[in-house]
Amino acid sequence: MSSDVKGLIASLRSELMNHVVQVDVFSSSDARIDAAVDWMIDNQMSGGGFGNGSAAYTAIAVNSITRWRPEWQSTTRCHEAAEALLRHAEPGGRLETVWDTAVAIRACAGHDLHWSESALGFLIDDASRGESPTRLKSHHIAQLLVTIHELRPEELRRAACADWIREISSESLETTSAYSLGQVVWARSVLAINADSSARAQYDDLYQWLSSATVTKANFVEFCAALMGLGTSLRPNHKTYVSVRVGEIFSDGFRQDGSWYHDSWESSWALLALSSVSTIRKIEMGIHDLGDLFEAAETQADGLQATIDAKLLAFSHGSFLRISFYVSLATSMLFIVVLGSIFSPDWGWFLGLLGVVSAPSAFSVRQLLLERKRLS
């Protein structure tokens, strides 16, 4: 019976695959992306920040907007966002975390605030002097290395940077989530160190996580980070899988106003994930083709239901007779035991006989009931 169900699903899948098309991902091909970028720009705070006004929200928002609209970086509003980030800086230029600082430096790189360069130098010196690689979180290392690569590539030859590269390239790297691992793998791609065995293992881990993940608000950012990472894989099956799953970004949290969950954090990560893939695989079918597919599936389902009904009917008649027989046999033996215990002083063998007959009878009845439950 399971083979019949699998056959039905396989025929549907085969027919749907005949209507799969590849769609390039860029704003002019998908009005939803334009709407999302517009929503991000329109919802910038009066002070220049985004979301809750924190450095993390603002930095990732600026990066996501400029990824799709590079010209926005030269606007007054973008400059205001950079100044808002600067207000969060501690003495020396560092923000609350290494992650915040690294992403913010890239966001401010196009503005003459004299902060980006000094903050990056301070960050490298401070991190290399005061924090060993194992004390920095792996995705913080990843973002820091990408920032150094983009703004000061010569610094990658420093001992501290070499240690960080070895850290995220280690086969024993432990990450707590796909959110962290996705950023690590993405950074390794930017640094062109994603072709060894440890990178393949990390890609496989991301693939396994995505294969078991269903998109919800709780894991949405993690899902986007995983797509960003796996999208950099050099293996064709990974790229194909990403192009299949990336469309799910629009399935759960996308809102009519162009945002994801009406929140700039989720919206920023969605835009970054969409920018990291080249195509989306979609199914395009005419209404008549879709109707024919439903009609064929309904016919097959009716046939499958008729088969199940016939098997249930045959089983019902047979199981009723067998259950009746086993119950009658067990009842008869119980009656014999009762009479034996009354009229015979040596009635122990009656109990033994009851056990010999009743045990297999009870087991058979149980098996029949389980089989009926499975069929139902």
Side-chain angles (χ1 to χ4, degrees), residues 136-143 168 173-175 180-181 184:
L136 283 176
K137 296 179 181 179
S138 57
H139 59 291
H140 290 208
I141 296 175
Q143 294 290 350
I168 65 172
L173 175 69
E174 294 185 3
T175 55
S180 177
L181 183 58
V184 167

Side-chain angles (χ1 to χ4, degrees), residues 3-294:
S3 61
D4 295 332
V5 175
K6 290 179 180 178
L8 174 59
I9 295 173
S11 64
L12 290 173
R13 182 183 292 114
S14 177
E15 180 61 29
L16 287 172
M17 289 303 292
N18 293 330
H19 298 272
V20 172
V21 296
Q22 298 269 122
V23 179
D24 290 336
V25 179
F26 52 88
S27 57
S28 61
S29 71
D30 197 328
R32 295 173 297 183
I33 295 177
D34 265 340
V37 178
D38 287 339
W39 184 88
M40 291 290 296
I41 295 173
D42 293 342
N43 282 271
Q44 185 178 7
M45 300 169 68
S46 58
F50 286 84
N52 60 11
S54 67
Y57 268 72
T58 302
I60 200 71
V62 171
N63 278 282
S64 68
I65 294 171
T66 55
R67 187 76 64 88
W68 286 101
R69 294 187 189 170
E71 66 276 9
W72 189 75
Q73 194 169 33
S74 61
T75 65
T76 301
R77 296 297 287 162
C78 186
H79 189 78
E80 291 174 355
E83 291 181 329
L85 287 171
L86 185 59
R87 289 195 292 271
H88 288 281
E90 300 173 357
R94 177 171 170 167
L95 302 179
E96 183 177 356
T97 69
V98 171
W99 192 96
D100 295 351
T101 311
V103 179
I105 288 171
R106 297 203 302 274
C108 296
H111 301 274
D112 187 20
L113 299 178
H114 305 294
W115 171 75
S116 298
E117 284 294 326
S118 60
L120 181 57
F122 178 83
L123 189 61
I124 296 172
D125 293 339
D126 181 61
S128 60
R129 180 176 59 251
E131 298 182 272
S132 64
T134 53
R135 290 181 60 188
L136 283 176
K137 296 179 181 179
S138 57
H139 59 291
H140 290 208
I141 296 175
Q143 294 290 350
L144 175 56
L145 287 173
V146 169
T147 301
I148 295 172
H149 172 78
E150 291 186 2
L151 300 182
R152 287 193 193 174
E154 68 280 0
E155 296 282 359
L156 292 174
R157 293 192 293 270
R158 290 181 55 158
C161 294
D163 288 340
W164 291 328
I165 290 173
R166 281 193 292 271
E167 172 71 14
I168 65 172
S169 302
S170 170
E171 294 189 2
S172 60
L173 175 69
E174 294 185 3
T175 55
T176 57
S177 66
Y179 170 76
S180 177
L181 183 58
Q183 293 178 71
V184 167
V185 171
W186 168 75
R188 294 188 63 176
S189 173
V190 173
L191 298 171
I193 52 172
N194 62 330
D196 59 11
S197 60
S198 64
R200 290 193 293 271
Q202 291 172 356
Y203 281 127
D204 287 339
D205 288 343
L206 280 180
Y207 178 78
Q208 291 177 6
W209 185 88
L210 282 169
S211 298
S212 61
T214 301
V215 185
T216 64
K217 180 174 173 54
N219 71 358
F220 183 77
V221 171
E222 194 171 14
F223 180 81
C224 292
L227 284 178
M228 282 182 60
L230 193 62
T232 65
S233 174
L234 302 176
R235 292 157 65 176
N237 65 315
H238 286 168
K239 288 187 174 296
T240 299
Y241 187 72
V242 169
S243 69
V244 171
R245 295 298 303 273
V246 70
E248 295 179 34
I249 290 178
F250 291 108
S251 66
D252 182 69
F254 189 68
R255 302 295 186 254
Q256 290 184 351
D257 60 7
S259 71
W260 278 267
Y261 302 105
H262 306 298
D263 188 273
S264 68
W265 181 253
E266 279 87 356
S267 299
S268 297
W269 278 101
L271 287 170
L272 289 173
L274 288 168
S275 70
S276 68
V277 298
S278 57
T279 60
I280 295 177
R281 300 183 78 195
K282 299 171 67 176
I283 294 176
E284 290 189 355
M285 296 183 70
I287 189 65
H288 296 296
D289 292 331
L290 186 61
D292 290 341
L293 180 63
F294 283 152

Side-chain angles (χ1 to χ4, degrees), residues 349-369:
W349 66 274
F350 287 105
L351 286 177
L353 182 61
L354 175 63
V356 169
V357 176
S358 299
S361 298
F363 177 77
S364 299
V365 170
R366 179 177 178 274
Q367 291 297 106
L368 287 168
L369 293 175

Side-chain angles (χ1 to χ4, degrees), residues 316-327:
S316 297
H317 289 304
S319 62
F320 175 76
L321 294 175
R322 281 181 285 176
I323 291 174
S324 299
F325 170 75
Y326 289 131
V327 171

Side-chain angles (χ1 to χ4, degrees), residues 311-355:
K311 289 185 177 182
L312 277 175
L313 183 61
F315 177 81
S316 297
H317 289 304
S319 62
F320 175 76
L321 294 175
R322 281 181 285 176
I323 291 174
S324 299
F325 170 75
Y326 289 131
V327 171
S328 299
L329 180 61
T331 303
S332 299
M333 294 308 302
L334 179 61
F335 182 69
I336 292 173
V337 168
V338 172
L339 289 179
S341 65
I342 294 175
F343 295 107
S344 172
D346 187 18
W347 52 275
W349 66 274
F350 287 105
L351 286 177
L353 182 61
L354 175 63

